Amino acid sequence: MPAITVPGATTVSSLEAYLAVPPGEGPRPGVVVIHEAFGLNADTRAQADRLAAAGYLAVAPNLFTAGGVRCLRSTFSAMLAGEGPAFGDIDATRTWLLAQPDCTGRVGIIGFCLGGGFALATASRGFDAAAPNYGRLPRNAREVLVGACPIVASYGGSDRTLRGAAGKLESLLTELDVVHDVEEYPGAGHSFLSTATGPAASLMKVMGMGPHQPSADRAWERILGFFATHLRS
């Protein structure tokens, strides 16, 4: 699958991205895939490939295209604040997908860690469904999530960095009358949907995070079922 550039971004003139195309002929729904703090790596590409195999035109933009530690810090700050140049990059990716002749015109967003926070923060910005995975709630979450699209969210019960986040999100989405499916997996830590193997997976495990296959299988089952309902209709 090809590396591409997305025009119209805010932080750079051409945003680096990875495109995963489903087999067969379109049109098909699109999904914007937002990476975690490690950037657009093999893990993110694998998640995009999984969505493509399920029939979605998946595009993963590199929010760190501009490069540098400052870029990482500013992107995190934007996610928490609910505003900043990174949101322009995500919107440019959504717009690019909508312009593709083999896209149905329905586009979802999925994110992991940092990307999960962006999936929440952009759920009311033109997407048809959102799948935040272990994503932090924006500081002004109640305001940000008013009018949000349907949300399917997954958290690890053993994730020490996001204690109580699933319950808070569940309560808030219920209060705002947003269609949702929020689940917390007791045996999973942060980044439990990661596809990392070998030394990387071992290091993550020591840190109380990383792959947890039973929880990942259940989460993907929910995500794909939710997307089928809200993106294919």
Side-chain angles (χ1 to χ4, degrees):
M1 299 296 176
I4 63 168
T5 56
V6 173
T10 301
T11 56
V12 288
S13 58
S14 292
L15 185 69
E16 297 172 357
Y18 174 76
L19 173 66
V21 180
E25 296 184 3
R28 37 276 186 118
V31 178
V32 175
V33 184
I34 307 298
H35 58 73
E36 56 187 6
F38 300 115
L40 180 52
N41 56 15
D43 210 0
T44 308
R45 293 182 179 90
Q47 310 291 19
D49 289 342
R50 182 165 192 155
L51 287 160
Y56 298 94
L57 188 63
V59 180
N62 181 4
L63 298 185
F64 301 158
T65 297
V69 176
R70 182 178 298 177
C71 177
L72 173 60
R73 286 202 304 263
S74 65
T75 303
F76 261 103
S77 297
M79 179 268 290
L80 291 172
E83 60 182 11
F87 286 92
D89 294 347
I90 293 171
D91 189 60
T93 307
R94 184 183 68 87
T95 299
W96 183 89
L97 260 179
L98 287 171
Q100 301 311 300
D102 57 343
C103 180
T104 62
R106 296 188 68 79
V107 176
I109 184 169
I110 186 171
F112 308 86
C113 181
L114 168 70
F118 276 112
L120 279 173
T122 58
S124 59
R125 302 190 186 195
F127 288 101
D128 297 296
N133 298 289
Y134 28 92
R136 290 187 179 278
L137 276 64
R139 293 193 183 104
N140 53 340
R142 179 172 280 99
E143 177 183 333
V144 168
L145 290 169
V146 169
C149 64
I151 293 173
V152 54
S154 301
Y155 290 87
S158 299
D159 185 348
R160 294 188 294 270
T161 68
L162 292 171
R163 285 177 178 164
K168 291 176 183 177
L169 181 60
E170 169 78 36
S171 298
L172 182 55
L173 295 178
T174 299
E175 176 187 329
L176 296 176
D177 199 26
V178 173
V179 174
H180 65 278
D181 171 7
V182 178
E183 192 163 329
E184 183 178 80
Y185 299 99
H190 198 74
S191 296
F192 68 87
L193 282 163
S194 172
T195 63
T197 59
S202 299
L203 178 60
M204 294 172 78
K205 187 175 182 180
V206 170
M207 298 169 64
M209 53 193 291
H212 189 265
Q213 202 58 50
S215 301
D217 290 343
R218 171 59 183 154
W220 272 113
E221 180 183 355
R222 290 172 44 245
I223 291 166
L224 294 178
F226 199 86
F227 276 4
T229 297
H230 297 286
L231 296 182
R232 294 189 179 280
S233 61

